Protein backbone atom coordinates (compact mmCIF):
# COMPACT_ATOMS: atom_id res chain seq x y z
CA UNK A 1 0.00 0.00 0.00
CA UNK A 2 1.35 3.44 -0.91
CA UNK A 3 0.05 6.02 1.51
CA UNK A 4 0.47 8.88 -0.96
CA UNK A 5 -1.83 7.12 -3.44
CA UNK A 6 -4.73 6.81 -1.02
CA UNK A 7 -7.61 9.26 -1.09
CA UNK A 8 -7.16 12.13 1.36
CA UNK A 9 -10.10 10.99 3.48
CA UNK A 10 -8.51 7.54 3.89
CA UNK A 11 -5.16 9.12 4.73
CA UNK A 12 -6.74 11.21 7.47
CA UNK A 13 -8.55 8.19 8.89
CA UNK A 14 -5.28 6.26 9.10
CA UNK A 15 -3.36 9.16 10.62
CA UNK A 16 -5.99 9.67 13.31
CA UNK A 17 -6.61 6.00 14.11
CA UNK A 18 -4.74 5.03 17.32
CA UNK A 19 -4.58 1.40 16.19
CA UNK A 20 -2.18 2.22 13.34
CA UNK A 21 1.53 2.09 14.13
CA UNK A 22 4.05 4.16 12.19
CA UNK A 23 7.76 3.68 11.60
CA UNK A 24 10.43 5.62 9.79
CA UNK A 25 13.47 3.97 8.25
CA UNK A 26 16.40 6.25 7.57
CA UNK A 27 19.58 5.46 5.70
CA UNK A 28 22.97 6.77 6.63
CA UNK A 29 23.74 9.58 4.12
CA UNK A 30 27.27 8.25 3.55
CA UNK A 31 25.93 4.78 2.75
CA UNK A 32 23.33 6.32 0.45
CA UNK A 33 25.99 8.30 -1.41
CA UNK A 34 28.15 5.21 -1.85
CA UNK A 35 25.12 3.24 -3.00
CA UNK A 36 24.35 5.93 -5.60
CA UNK A 37 27.93 5.79 -6.88
CA UNK A 38 27.94 2.01 -7.11
CA UNK A 39 24.54 2.03 -8.83
CA UNK A 40 25.05 4.93 -11.24
CA UNK A 41 28.73 4.51 -12.08
CA UNK A 42 29.61 0.90 -11.40
CA UNK A 43 26.17 -0.55 -12.08
CA UNK A 44 24.73 -1.51 -15.43
CA UNK A 45 26.26 -0.08 -18.59
CA UNK A 46 22.95 1.65 -19.30
CA UNK A 47 23.00 3.46 -15.93
CA UNK A 48 26.65 4.37 -16.36
CA UNK A 49 26.09 5.73 -19.87
CA UNK A 50 23.09 7.71 -18.66
CA UNK A 51 25.09 9.26 -15.82
CA UNK A 52 28.08 10.08 -18.01
CA UNK A 53 25.84 11.71 -20.62
CA UNK A 54 23.94 13.78 -18.02
CA UNK A 55 27.18 15.09 -16.51
CA UNK A 56 29.07 15.55 -19.79
CA UNK A 57 31.73 13.02 -18.79
CA UNK A 58 33.58 10.72 -21.14
CA UNK A 59 35.36 8.49 -18.62
CA UNK A 60 34.27 6.78 -15.43
CA UNK A 61 34.66 9.24 -12.57
CA UNK A 62 36.41 8.43 -9.32
CA UNK A 63 34.25 8.56 -6.22
CA UNK A 64 35.55 12.07 -5.45
CA UNK A 65 34.74 13.23 -9.01
CA UNK A 66 31.27 11.70 -8.71
CA UNK A 67 30.58 13.55 -5.44
CA UNK A 68 31.86 16.81 -6.94
CA UNK A 69 29.70 16.37 -10.07
CA UNK A 70 26.46 15.68 -8.23
CA UNK A 71 27.09 18.37 -5.62
CA UNK A 72 27.26 20.99 -8.40
CA UNK A 73 23.81 19.97 -9.64
CA UNK A 74 21.81 19.71 -6.41
CA UNK A 75 18.04 19.54 -6.80
CA UNK A 76 15.20 18.88 -4.43
CA UNK A 77 11.90 17.11 -4.91
CA UNK A 78 8.93 17.33 -2.59
CA UNK A 79 7.48 14.09 -1.28
CA UNK A 80 4.55 12.97 -3.38
CA UNK A 81 5.52 14.88 -6.52
CA UNK A 82 4.53 12.74 -9.48
CA UNK A 83 7.24 14.09 -11.80
CA UNK A 84 10.62 12.48 -12.32
CA UNK A 85 12.27 12.57 -8.94
CA UNK A 86 15.83 13.73 -8.42
CA UNK A 87 17.99 13.71 -5.35
CA UNK A 88 21.18 15.72 -5.38
CA UNK A 89 21.30 15.70 -9.16
CA UNK A 90 21.05 11.92 -9.52
CA UNK A 91 18.04 10.50 -11.34
CA UNK A 92 16.22 7.86 -9.25
Amino acid sequence: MRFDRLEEERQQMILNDPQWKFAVFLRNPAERLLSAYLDKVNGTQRDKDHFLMNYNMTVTPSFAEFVHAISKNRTATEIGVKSKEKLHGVDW
Side-chain angles (χ1 to χ4, degrees), residues 12 14 37 56 74 85 91:
Q12 289 299 321
I14 290 170
Y37 176 75
N56 297 317
R74 296 184 65 175
E85 291 189 0
D91 295 344

Side-chain angles (χ1 to χ4, degrees), residues 1-91:
M1 171 178 71
R2 293 246 343 225
F3 186 80
D4 63 332
R5 292 187 180 163
L6 296 174
E7 294 178 11
E8 186 176 350
E9 183 178 314
R10 179 83 171 133
Q11 290 176 354
Q12 289 299 321
M13 186 196 80
I14 290 170
L15 290 173
N16 294 312
D17 185 341
Q19 295 208 8
W20 277 84
K21 305 294 182 219
F22 301 95
V24 175
F25 299 92
L26 302 174
R27 288 181 61 187
N28 180 314
E31 289 177 5
R32 191 165 171 101
L33 184 60
L34 177 59
S35 176
Y37 176 75
L38 294 174
D39 181 55
K40 301 301 178 188
V41 177
N42 289 332
T44 66
Q45 190 63 43
R46 181 176 173 260
D47 287 342
K48 180 179 175 179
D49 291 343
H50 180 76
F51 177 83
L52 294 175
M53 182 184 71
N54 281 346
Y55 289 90
N56 297 317
M57 296 179 165
T58 57
V59 296
T60 302
S62 67
F63 183 71
E65 292 167 334
F66 172 83
V67 171
H68 180 73
I70 65 171
S71 68
K72 289 191 315 184
N73 186 19
R74 296 184 65 175
T75 59
T77 301
E78 295 179 26
I79 295 174
V81 172
K82 302 289 188 217
S83 65
K84 187 177 187 180
E85 291 189 0
K86 290 188 171 205
L87 177 64
H88 296 282
V90 178
D91 295 344

